[in-house]
Amino acid sequence: MHFHVLTLFPDMITQGLNTSITGRSIESGTITLNAVNIRDYTVNKHKKVDDYPYGGGAGMLMQAQPVYDAYRAVMKDIQARGKEKEPRVIYLTPQGTVFKQKMAKELAKEEDIIFLCGHYEGIDERVLEEIVTDYISIGDYVLTGGELPAMVLMDSISRMVPGVLGNQESGDSESHSNYLLEYPQYSRPEEWMGKKVPQVLLSGDHAKVDEWRLEQSLQRTKELRPDLYDKWAAENEEYFIKKAKKEERKRRNELKKQKQKK
Ligand code: ADE
């Protein structure tokens, strides 16, 4: 996966992603990160990249020329690697589609992704029309620029790129990948501050552990994210049928036992 970021603050991007799991993947080459300073491409002799908006209004706008030339430079690099497919160009904006886990999974299949980070009051519409393929928001709030949202996307996309997560678990088994929130986890010691690790986790019975974890996930999701719970329930009707049958069997067995006692 090759990430390219068009930004006025390249250091923010490289420093933000050069640690931990993303840092390790960049070091090993599973991911490459190319943060391009838009300012390096301005033709203005004072290195200016912004100007007043036509029609008036507050603040300054990033101009089309330096953004477009930075984009062209990145495209030249991509094409020099013999790539024919046009890469996705993602503009981070609160006006975009709200980012979801499913999008991370989908974007992880791309070979190159270009992120465009705006600042000030935004970017001249004409260059957006010319180069942007996707408008993405990370939530209904306004940030000072697109760098943090771009980092959020790159972090979550990276997790879905094969080879990035160290353990055998794929990013698929976690919160949101199947609509369910994660179950609680415990590590040593077995007892801490008088709180004991649930007995089933010490039992060594993997089927029981899996069942308990799924139940915990379901409970949490139902309580904290009923919207996600409903989606899961709609796609997993057979789970509830099986569960009801199991409970019915248990109830009959107990009745039988009680009768035998008498
Ligand atoms: N730029 C500013 N705020 C943003 C947000 N919420 N999502 C994506 N890009 C942004």
Side-chain angles (χ1 to χ4, degrees):
M1 167 64 76
H2 303 287
F3 290 134
H4 311 265
V5 188
L6 308 177
T7 170
L8 289 173
F9 302 98
D11 292 347
M12 190 173 167
I13 301 286
T14 48
Q15 284 169 16
L17 293 177
N18 266 338
T19 46
S20 188
I21 295 174
T22 47
R24 215 173 47 210
S25 306
I26 292 167
E27 206 172 308
S28 71
T30 313
I31 282 167
T32 68
L33 176 62
N34 173 30
V36 176
N37 193 341
I38 294 170
R39 200 176 295 280
D40 290 346
Y41 290 87
T42 179
V43 294
N44 180 281
K45 62 174 186 271
H46 304 293
K47 289 264 169 197
K48 233 167 71 87
V49 290
D50 60 332
D51 211 329
Y52 296 100
Y54 281 114
M60 305 285 265
L61 272 188
M62 280 167 69
Q63 292 168 284
Q65 176 275 316
V67 172
Y68 190 62
D69 287 359
Y71 161 79
R72 290 275 298 266
V74 166
M75 286 297 285
K76 216 171 138 188
D77 286 349
I78 295 172
Q79 280 155 0
R81 291 203 329 268
K83 302 294 156 204
E84 272 161 31
K85 192 179 166 221
E86 290 276 303
R88 306 269 283 263
V89 180
I90 299 175
Y91 177 47
L92 291 313
T93 165
Q95 296 172 34
T97 310
V98 177
F99 189 60
K100 296 270 163 63
Q101 184 63 33
K102 201 171 154 200
M103 291 156 86
K105 219 168 156 177
E106 233 175 74
L107 287 166
K109 294 179 195 145
E110 298 289 325
E111 214 168 316
D112 290 88
I113 302 176
I114 303 176
F115 295 94
L116 172 58
C117 306
H119 253 271
Y120 314 119
E121 290 307 309
I123 303 182
D124 189 307
E125 191 69 22
R126 292 166 296 183
V127 71
L128 298 179
E129 283 171 10
E130 195 62 30
I131 69 173
V132 173
T133 59
D134 301 81
Y135 293 75
I136 297 182
S137 164
I138 61 161
D140 293 339
Y141 42 82
V142 182
L143 300 164
T144 55
E147 283 75 13
L148 285 171
M151 285 193 269
V152 166
L153 262 68
M154 285 186 277
D155 189 291
S156 72
I157 294 166
S158 298
R159 295 179 68 261
M160 306 309 294
V161 171
V164 166
L165 291 185
N167 53 16
Q168 315 97 315
E169 287 280 282
S170 78
D172 259 6
S173 66
E174 288 168 33
S175 297
H176 289 281
S177 59
N178 59 4
Y179 301 126
L180 292 183
L181 302 183
E182 262 203 281
Y183 46 80
Q185 302 248 53
Y186 305 86
S187 183
R188 283 199 276 197
E190 264 183 53
E191 187 174 332
W192 180 78
M193 301 260 277
K195 292 167 185 273
K196 290 197 169 114
V197 172
Q199 195 56 41
V200 59
L201 299 178
L202 311 174
S203 69
D205 184 334
H206 294 302
K208 280 239 164 67
V209 169
D210 286 348
E211 195 182 324
W212 181 85
R213 284 178 166 167
L214 178 58
E215 269 307 313
Q216 292 287 316
S217 282
L218 285 168
Q219 263 176 37
R220 272 193 177 182
T221 312
K222 196 171 181 182
E223 193 180 317
L224 302 172
R225 291 293 304 271
D227 55 325
L228 295 180
Y229 179 83
D230 289 345
K231 280 187 183 159
W232 189 88
E235 286 184 15
N236 291 277
E237 275 179 27
E238 80 285 359
Y239 169 81
F240 296 100
I241 296 167
K242 264 192 199 160
K243 198 176 158 189
K245 278 187 185 159
K246 200 172 157 189
E247 272 162 18
E248 178 60 17
R249 264 201 312 274
K250 210 169 136 190
R251 200 181 64 86
R252 283 187 195 189
N253 279 340
E254 268 160 23
L255 278 176
K256 220 175 172 179
K257 268 189 206 158
Q258 276 171 13
K259 267 189 194 161
Q260 280 166 354
K261 268 188 198 165
K262 282 176 197 165

